[in-house]
Amino acid sequence: MSIGGKTEKAKSTSTLLELIFYTKEDINVFYWGGRILIYAAMLWFAIQFIASPIESNFAGISFMHMINLPFHEAGHIFLRPFGSLITSLGGSIFQLLAPVICLFVLLVQTRDTFGASVALWWFGQNFFDMAPYIDDARSLSLPLVGGNYGHSSPYGFHDWEYILTETGLLQYDHLLARTSIAFGTLCFILSLIWGAVVLYKQFKNLE
């Protein structure tokens, strides 16, 4: 690689780091204190989600599930014109899309890098939210919306039973659920590191 190419790559890396770790020059101590509390909650619940086995459905009974659920149901509605498989996938797609949109808005438009780290945490949490549902594709024992259960509902009502059956992947439900947990855990770790660095930089800029 030429010297000019290395220089351009270094500039791009520097610009990306400046975007990700941007901090205002003057930080209000009360706002910073509130962010510390939010960070502590992120860390606490990340530990709870990671430590809880999929079979416990901890994510499904947590307060975060009720936040994710409206986006999940909206995905089924908005993607209905694209066929049954995409409609079933739409729930999971939209509950992942919501935090991604928040992340980019906070990072690029409002320049709130700590808020963006929270959005990344939320993105990761959605993988924990989906994991018990994926893991249930064969057993069909989890309660679903409306008080139904997969084993007593018509075929297609349980999203992941339908998705994995139609794609020939039903025997991999447990593997896919654990992969979802692993990816969510990675997002948790990255978001907590990101948030910690931003909070440290903000601490140095306290008014």
Side-chain angles (χ1 to χ4, degrees):
M1 183 182 292
S2 65
I3 295 176
K6 289 182 179 179
T7 302
E8 288 299 321
K9 185 177 180 179
K11 286 182 178 179
S12 299
T13 302
S14 177
T15 301
L16 179 61
L17 290 175
E18 288 175 4
L19 175 66
I20 292 174
F21 297 112
Y22 168 79
T23 305
K24 294 179 180 179
E25 293 183 2
D26 298 317
I27 302 296
N28 184 289
V29 66
F30 295 105
Y31 288 150
W32 186 81
R35 289 167 184 154
I36 286 291
L37 293 177
I38 293 172
Y39 184 87
M42 289 165 57
L43 177 59
W44 170 253
F45 281 108
I47 293 171
Q48 296 299 305
F49 283 118
I50 293 170
S52 300
I54 296 177
E55 295 76 17
S56 70
N57 192 29
F58 177 76
I61 60 176
S62 74
F63 74 99
M64 288 299 301
H65 182 67
M66 299 310 297
I67 295 174
N68 299 327
L69 187 58
F71 297 103
H72 181 97
E73 296 303 321
H76 292 317
I77 295 171
F78 282 103
L79 296 185
R80 187 169 294 168
F82 300 97
S84 300
L85 182 60
I86 299 301
T87 299
S88 294
L89 275 169
S92 298
I93 290 172
F94 265 54
Q95 71 178 90
L96 291 172
L97 188 61
V100 169
I101 292 172
C102 290
L103 192 157
F104 279 99
V105 170
L106 289 164
L107 185 63
V108 178
Q109 185 170 345
T110 65
R111 304 302 300 277
D112 181 357
T113 47
F114 179 74
S117 75
V118 176
L120 177 59
W121 186 96
W122 181 22
F123 177 69
Q125 193 280 325
N126 270 284
F127 285 96
F128 281 85
D129 193 75
M130 294 188 306
Y133 201 9
I134 299 172
D135 198 60
D136 188 58
R138 277 182 290 178
S139 62
L140 304 175
S141 57
L142 284 181
L144 306 177
V145 174
N148 298 302
Y149 288 84
H151 60 76
S152 58
S153 300
Y155 179 64
F157 192 85
H158 190 296
D159 293 343
W160 282 98
E161 178 205 13
Y162 184 78
I163 293 166
L164 297 183
T165 299
E166 293 299 308
T167 56
L169 299 173
L170 187 62
Q171 68 270 30
Y172 301 113
D173 55 349
H174 301 322
L175 174 62
L176 291 171
R178 280 153 181 75
T179 301
S180 185
I181 290 290
F183 196 79
T185 300
L186 177 62
C187 290
F188 275 166
I189 293 170
L190 292 176
S191 69
L192 289 167
I193 293 173
W194 186 7
V197 172
V198 170
L199 286 173
Y200 175 70
K201 292 187 67 178
Q202 291 179 346
F203 174 74
K204 295 194 296 184
N205 291 350
L206 288 178
E207 295 177 349

